[in-house]
């Protein structure tokens, strides 16, 4: 029984690896006036170390106060915030919300940190100490005078793969390494087949650029086969008779063709690039995004969410994947073969192959970011139009014209001035990065976003 002048304060205590509850330095009071979010994000009320606890989501779960019970205590509910690895209550995965009872054990992820929920009886006249609920990484526990972990080393610490094997397969940590090893082996195996070797080198560079510069920055899970499908669909469009229709409309009917004479003003060149490259190619690369949008609307859940376009991040991911397919086919099917053949006719087959390979890498590295910037930027507006259907045509028009203008500027300045080309390239990439940041802020699944952070607030 508690006295009339006593009250119960809820708190959670960190549980050590051997199941014992740590001291007061590792207890975190729950304030009855607000939700207490726990996770890796610096905005959380209880902050976990981002490097030590990668299995914990940025905003993993929340402790939510309910109405006061007859004995004066605040009842608390634990609610999972759609975390990637789940929240476990007394060993069972939490589905939605559940009211907490003293002695309940909460684990963030199957093998993440564990906390004990309990009430602490304090006198109503005793002020509650205010502490910042920032979680100290477990390495500092070893210096705690009362900790039994001071000199102990667990078997899984000596052989970490035994405890992290599940994360390796479920969180894609192994995928970049596996892909790299496979491509390297295939490159060595195709040294006697230069054309196939060029395809492998270009594909590896393109996939690496997409993964590190787009996918990790967007931070939204999208099935790999959907993204590859977007790139392959663009390749098939380029190889189909539909390309001839696009060329006829934008370069024969509209003023998108380049004159045979070299005497042309920058203004005229820009206009022709706007129609013949900007409007034509950006519409072509947007077709897979529109196709995914339409397919998603007719599919049942969860396939509609996996394939369809429901927010700007979906549009960016699919648009940039389409740009990868466009760049690979344009480079490997047009530019590299043309240079290889021309040089081979003048200096021999060996010199031709060398010239083609020398063009391959700078062409992929130079063309791919530009195409991804224009197509990803237009993809942002396609996704935004889905979120704002009443303004969809206005949104799509702004995005289409802006992406086409950036594309035309890149092509026109590349012919006129190399230094100005750098400026246009940086501006185009900045447009895409700004769109990604805004798309992450607008995302309905923001709590599940895994986007890379280059700078952490202090």
């Amino acid at each position: 029984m508690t006295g009339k002048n006593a009250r119960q304060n809820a708190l959670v205590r960190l549980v050590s690896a051997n199941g014992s509850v740590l001291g007061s330095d590792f207890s975190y009071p729950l304030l009855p006036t607000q939700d207490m979010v726990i996770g890796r994000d610096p905005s959380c009320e209880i902050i976990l170390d981002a490097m030590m606890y990668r299995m914990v989501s940025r905003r993993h779960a929340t402790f939510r106060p309910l109405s006061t019970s007859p004995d004066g205590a605040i009842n608390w509910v634990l609610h999972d915030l759609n975390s990637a690895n789940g929240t476990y209550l007394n060993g069972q995965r939490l589905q939605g919300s559940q009211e907490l009872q003293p002695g309940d054990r909460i684990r963030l992820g199957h093998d993440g940190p564990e906390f004990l929920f309990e009430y602490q009886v304090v006198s109503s006249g005793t002020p509650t100490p205010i502490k910042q609920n920032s979680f100290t990484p477990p390495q500092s526990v070893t210096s705690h005078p009362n900790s039994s972990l001071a000199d102990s080393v667990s078997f899984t610490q000596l052989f970490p793969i035994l405890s992290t094997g599940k994360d390796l397969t479920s969180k894609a940590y192994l995928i970049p390494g596996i892909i790299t090893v496979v491509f390297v082996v295939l490159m060595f195996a195709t040294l006697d087949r230069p054309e196939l070797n060029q395809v492998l080198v270009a594909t590896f560079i393109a996939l690496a650029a997409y993964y590190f510069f787009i996918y990790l920055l967007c931070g939204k899970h999208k099935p790999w086969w959907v993204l590859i499908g977007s790139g392959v669909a663009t390749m098939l469009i380029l190889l189909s008779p539909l390309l001839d229709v696009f060329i006829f409309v934008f370069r024969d009917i509209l003023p998108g063709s380049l004159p045979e004479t070299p005497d042309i003003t920058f203004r005229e060149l820009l206009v022709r690039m706007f129609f013949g490259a900007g409007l034509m190619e950006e519409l072509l690369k947007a077709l897979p995004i529109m196709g995914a949008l339409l397919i998603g609307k007719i599919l049942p859940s969860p396939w509609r969410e996996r394939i369809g376009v429901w927010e700007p991040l979906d549009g960016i991911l699919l648009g940039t994947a389409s740009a990868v397919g466009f760049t690979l086919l344009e480079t490997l099917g047009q530019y590299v073969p043309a240079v290889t053949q021309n040089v081979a006719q003048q200096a021999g087959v060996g010199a031709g192959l060398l010239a083609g390979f020398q063009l391959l890498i700078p062409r992929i590295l130079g063309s791919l970011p530009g195409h991804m910037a224009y197509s990803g930027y237009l993809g942002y507006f396609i996704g935004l139009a889905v979120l704002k259907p009443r303004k969809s045509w206005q949104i799509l028009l702004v995005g289409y014209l802006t992406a086409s203008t950036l594309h035309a500027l890149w092509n026109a300045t590349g012919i006129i001035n190399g230094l100005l080309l750098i400026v246009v390239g940086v501006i185009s990439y900045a447009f895409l990065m700004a769109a990604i940041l805004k798309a992450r802020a607008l995302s309905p699944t923001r709590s599940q976003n895994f986007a890379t952070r280059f700078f952490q607030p202090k």
Side-chain angles (χ1 to χ4, degrees):
M1 295 289 292
T2 58
K4 294 182 178 180
N5 295 325
R7 70 178 186 272
Q8 290 182 320
N9 287 345
L11 70 155
V12 290
R13 297 182 186 273
L14 174 66
V15 178
S16 66
N18 61 8
S20 63
V21 180
L22 299 179
S24 59
D25 288 343
F26 302 94
S27 64
Y28 305 93
L30 304 179
L31 303 181
T33 57
Q34 66 180 84
D35 289 0
M36 303 290 291
V37 179
I38 185 170
R40 296 184 291 111
D41 196 287
S43 66
C44 294
E45 282 69 34
I46 302 177
I47 307 169
L48 304 185
D49 184 78
M51 297 301 297
M52 186 61 60
Y53 289 110
R54 295 181 179 273
M55 75 290 293
V56 177
S57 297
R58 291 171 57 189
R59 296 175 63 85
H60 197 104
T62 183
F63 299 95
R64 185 167 296 161
L66 295 180
S67 58
T68 306
S69 62
D71 62 357
I74 300 291
N75 295 326
W76 287 86
V77 168
L78 178 64
H79 179 70
D80 182 76
L81 298 176
N82 295 320
S83 59
N85 295 305
T87 302
Y88 291 79
L89 181 60
N90 299 323
Q92 300 296 321
R93 183 156 183 166
L94 181 65
Q95 302 295 333
S97 303
Q98 186 169 331
E99 186 172 344
L100 294 172
Q101 302 296 330
D104 283 345
R105 295 202 172 214
I106 301 120
R107 185 180 292 276
L108 307 182
H110 185 266
D111 55 353
E114 184 177 357
F115 296 86
L116 176 68
F117 175 81
E118 60 183 23
Y119 287 103
Q120 184 180 55
V121 179
V122 296
S123 172
S124 59
T126 304
T128 302
I130 300 175
K131 64 178 289 185
Q132 183 178 357
N133 281 8
S134 58
F135 178 65
T136 306
Q139 58 263 37
S140 64
V141 174
T142 58
S143 62
H144 195 277
N146 297 324
S147 174
S148 61
L149 304 178
D151 297 317
S152 64
V153 179
S154 66
F155 188 73
T156 56
Q157 290 173 347
L158 294 175
F159 299 94
I161 194 171
L162 298 178
S163 62
T164 59
K166 182 179 179 180
D167 285 336
L168 290 178
T169 57
S170 64
K171 296 184 179 179
Y173 289 122
L174 283 177
I175 291 178
I178 292 174
I179 292 177
T180 300
V181 171
V182 170
F183 268 93
V184 169
V185 172
L186 291 175
M187 289 173 193
F188 276 109
T190 57
L191 288 177
D192 58 339
R193 302 180 61 184
E195 294 81 4
L196 183 56
N197 192 265
Q198 289 177 351
V199 172
L200 290 171
V201 172
T203 303
F204 179 77
I205 295 174
L207 292 179
Y210 180 85
Y211 180 75
F212 289 107
F213 291 105
I214 302 298
Y215 189 75
L216 291 183
L217 292 178
C218 284
K220 179 175 182 177
H221 292 285
K222 200 76 174 175
W224 62 269
W225 54 270
V226 174
L227 301 175
I228 292 178
S230 178
V232 171
T234 301
M235 290 182 174
L236 294 177
I237 292 172
L238 291 173
L239 296 172
S240 72
L242 187 59
L243 177 61
D244 296 330
V245 177
F246 273 75
I247 293 175
F248 175 74
V249 172
F250 288 95
R251 295 182 180 177
D252 293 340
I253 299 178
L254 298 175
S257 61
L258 292 177
E260 297 181 358
T261 59
D263 297 330
I264 183 174
T265 65
F266 178 77
R267 181 179 178 180
E268 184 181 357
L269 178 62
L270 183 62
V271 170
R272 291 182 179 274
M273 287 296 182
F274 177 76
F275 286 97
L279 291 179
M280 187 187 83
E281 294 181 5
E282 295 315 311
L283 180 59
L284 188 150
K285 289 183 290 181
L287 291 181
I289 312 176
M290 303 303 295
L293 190 156
L294 296 176
I295 293 173
K297 288 186 176 182
I298 62 176
L299 291 177
S301 187
W303 293 104
R304 60 185 303 171
E305 290 81 13
R306 294 176 180 176
I307 296 177
V309 178
W310 304 102
E311 59 168 305
L313 284 176
D314 291 321
I316 293 173
L317 288 169
L318 290 169
T320 49
S322 174
V324 171
F326 185 96
T327 304
L328 286 176
L329 189 62
E330 184 183 52
T331 301
L332 296 170
Q334 179 180 350
Y335 290 100
V336 171
V339 169
T340 300
Q341 184 177 3
N342 290 337
V343 175
Q345 292 175 351
Q346 301 176 9
V349 176
L353 292 174
L354 178 60
F357 194 83
Q358 289 175 333
L359 173 67
L360 175 68
I361 295 179
R363 173 71 194 178
I364 289 290
L365 292 177
S367 181
L368 183 61
H371 279 292
M372 288 197 302
Y374 322 136
S375 302
Y377 193 70
L378 178 54
Y380 164 84
F381 283 90
I382 294 175
L384 184 63
V386 176
L387 289 183
K388 313 284 185 180
R390 293 185 178 181
K391 298 287 186 179
S392 59
W393 289 109
Q394 177 182 348
I395 292 170
L396 290 173
L397 183 62
V398 171
Y400 184 35
L401 294 179
T402 305
S404 299
T405 301
L406 291 173
H407 193 154
L409 279 171
W410 170 268
N411 284 21
T413 52
I415 297 176
I416 301 299
N417 189 306
L419 293 178
L420 189 58
L421 183 66
I422 297 176
V423 176
V424 175
V426 172
I427 292 175
S428 300
Y429 194 70
F431 268 68
L432 176 60
M433 291 301 103
I436 290 177
L437 292 175
K438 180 58 70 173
R440 280 161 46 178
L442 294 172
S443 176
T445 59
R446 186 179 181 184
S447 63
Q448 304 173 36
N449 195 283
F450 62 86
T452 300
R453 286 189 171 195
F454 289 109
F455 302 99
Q456 291 284 357
K458 295 183 179 180

